[in-house]
Amino acid sequence: MASPAHLSLSKLSQPQYHLSFTIPQTRHSPPTKTRPATHRFKCSAGQTGFFTRLGRLIKEKAKSDVEKLFSGFSKTRDNLAVIDELLLYWNLADTDRVLDELEEALLVSDFGPRITVKIVESLREDILGGKLKSGSEIKEALKNCVLDLLTKKANKTELQLGYKKPAVIMIVGVNGGGKTTSLGKLAYRLKNEGAKILMAAGDTFRAAASDQLEIWAERAGCEIVMAEDANAKASSVLTQAVKRGKEQGFDIVLCDTSGRLHTNYSLMEELIACKKAVGKIVSRAPNEILLVLDGTTGLNMLPQAREFNEVVGITGLILTKLDGSARGGCVVSVVDELGIPVKFVGVGEGVDDLQPFDAEAFVNAIFS
């Protein structure tokens, strides 16, 4: 049985009382200084009930954001549109030809050879066994097969934030994958759902990273902890942020980290130090370690995910840049290969284009 700190949001109790939070809207560099608040709000939240409510709101938001997914996966949908044509006038005599072309369509969409063969052979068996007797039945079976691949091994797509405040989320990944932007968009989304967010600028290698995150903090109306000198270690910045989050009653501390190649041993070791540092301040932290993967790299993201998972233990994935040249089938391959759930997908450049991942909505989006 899972420990209380890892219980799903949907299973937690929900006591209610009113808390009044003060959120500075102006930015500041020194982590120990705050400016007078320019905005006040109230939210109904208990020590455990707040995360319950937050998880429910994000889950509901995922259902309402299907249109974003439809537009974001337009390229994948175009590649898979041939399936409708293949199945429109399907008959049993054309089974081999149709399945060969369906296999090609799935490969072009980056489903990966192993996943593609598994899907196609499953359909072939059901067709020859008389279970599927029409094109519409075959397409429905295809969608169900993909949905099963996405949910069988990794069905906890909601954030697992435990039951104590602050919850700590670390964002990791290679250079250029979109970590800082994803963290900023995540902060914006969580803040809009009523959470009091503290951001930690743990990317101490890239000169512009702190400035970029500070802009996001101002945009989202969140506070931020930054390094006080150029030689500060990432682990010390995150330690300072989590301490402040604990002392000042923040709901969630979002920790940025430096981009690093998964093949660089010393930099990967630094992630271990960061993880240990926040765990010393808050028991069982970080609650989530989210790996940001660039969707344009396709199946090349798999070795990245393997290495990061082996080093720090990834709890969830954020797939970015799925609005451009990306092919959405890579989502299925990553989940099936690693058994790690996708929690968010980036489908555009807008501040609200980091969408909670919903497997059913995803399948409907790419096979519409």
Side-chain angles (χ1 to χ4, degrees):
M1 179 177 292
S3 64
H6 291 84
L7 289 176
S8 171
L9 296 174
S10 61
K11 296 182 180 178
L12 296 174
S13 61
Q14 193 174 359
Q16 297 288 318
Y17 58 86
H18 287 283
L19 299 177
S20 179
F21 298 147
T22 301
I23 299 296
Q25 295 285 359
T26 53
R27 71 184 193 180
H28 55 276
S29 295
T32 57
K33 296 181 181 178
T34 59
R35 294 186 179 181
T38 58
H39 176 64
R40 294 179 66 84
F41 70 95
K42 291 184 178 181
C43 69
S44 296
Q47 180 73 355
T48 60
F50 177 78
F51 289 145
T52 305
R53 172 180 172 273
L54 181 63
R56 185 177 66 252
L57 287 171
I58 291 176
K59 194 87 170 179
E60 291 171 356
K61 185 66 175 174
K63 294 289 187 182
S64 67
D65 283 338
V66 174
E67 288 303 316
K68 288 280 188 180
L69 284 174
F70 271 85
S71 59
F73 289 109
S74 58
K75 185 175 180 65
T76 300
R77 200 165 62 251
D78 290 343
N79 288 334
L80 295 174
V82 66
I83 294 175
D84 287 328
E85 299 175 15
L86 289 171
L87 298 178
L88 184 60
Y89 300 108
W90 174 85
N91 63 72
L92 189 59
D94 287 336
T95 296
D96 288 338
R97 178 187 62 81
V98 168
L99 291 180
D100 284 346
E101 294 190 36
L102 188 150
E103 180 177 306
E104 183 178 345
L106 293 175
L107 289 172
V108 167
S109 298
D110 260 7
F111 274 80
R114 190 170 65 85
I115 292 296
T116 297
V117 169
K118 182 186 294 187
I119 292 172
V120 171
E121 290 308 309
S122 175
L123 292 176
R124 188 189 307 277
E125 182 178 338
D126 286 345
I127 290 171
L128 297 180
K131 296 180 181 179
L132 305 176
K133 300 178 181 180
S134 68
S136 60
E137 289 181 358
I138 294 173
K139 183 174 181 180
E140 194 62 29
L142 170 61
K143 292 171 64 175
N144 288 335
C145 187
V146 173
L147 183 60
D148 185 61
L149 289 169
L150 285 170
T151 57
K152 189 174 182 179
K153 295 182 180 179
N155 59 355
K156 294 183 178 180
T157 57
E158 69 272 17
L159 289 174
Q160 307 290 302
L161 299 179
Y163 68 101
K164 291 183 179 179
K165 299 179 182 179
V168 181
I169 300 175
M170 274 180 59
I171 307 292
V172 302
V174 301
N175 308 71
K179 292 183 309 305
T180 303
T181 299
S182 295
L183 186 146
K185 291 179 180 180
L186 181 57
Y188 181 85
R189 177 176 286 277
L190 294 173
K191 170 67 163 38
N192 284 345
E193 302 297 354
K196 185 179 180 182
I197 304 297
L198 180 62
M199 301 165 76
D203 186 348
T204 55
F205 286 121
R206 188 163 61 93
S210 294
D211 293 337
Q212 183 184 358
L213 196 62
E214 192 176 17
I215 292 171
W216 272 107
E218 184 175 5
R219 185 181 299 176
C222 301
E223 296 186 39
I224 183 172
V225 170
M226 300 167 59
E228 295 180 320
D229 61 76
N231 297 319
K233 292 184 178 180
S235 56
S236 67
V237 176
L238 300 192
T239 296
Q240 189 176 15
V242 176
K243 280 183 178 179
R244 182 176 165 192
K246 186 176 182 179
E247 293 168 357
Q248 298 183 12
F250 283 87
D251 297 311
I252 301 171
V253 180
L254 293 175
C255 301
D256 195 15
T257 61
S258 303
R260 65 204 70 224
L261 290 175
H262 56 287
T263 54
N264 189 315
Y265 177 78
S266 61
L267 290 181
M268 294 296 278
E269 285 291 304
E270 185 193 59
L271 281 183
I272 298 176
C274 289
K275 180 179 179 181
K276 289 181 178 179
V278 299
K280 290 178 181 179
I281 309 302
V282 176
S283 177
R284 300 182 184 278
N287 302 79
E288 291 272 13
I289 300 178
L290 303 180
L291 173 63
V292 175
L293 294 171
D294 183 342
T296 62
T297 62
L299 294 174
N300 291 325
M301 66 176 64
L302 281 171
Q304 296 175 21
R306 290 190 198 105
E307 291 297 324
F308 276 97
N309 187 46
E310 184 175 338
V311 171
V312 290
I314 302 303
T315 62
L317 305 171
I318 299 177
L319 297 183
T320 63
K321 306 179 186 179
L322 294 178
D323 56 320
S325 59
R327 290 163 292 195
C330 60
V331 177
V332 185
S333 295
V334 171
V335 172
D336 183 73
E337 171 87 13
L338 301 174
I340 300 173
V342 179
K343 305 219 169 181
F344 293 91
V345 291
V347 294
E349 298 297 326
V351 68
D352 59 347
D353 285 336
L354 184 71
Q355 302 298 317
F357 182 75
D358 182 271
E360 186 176 353
F362 168 78
V363 172
N364 288 332
I366 64 173
F367 289 109
S368 64

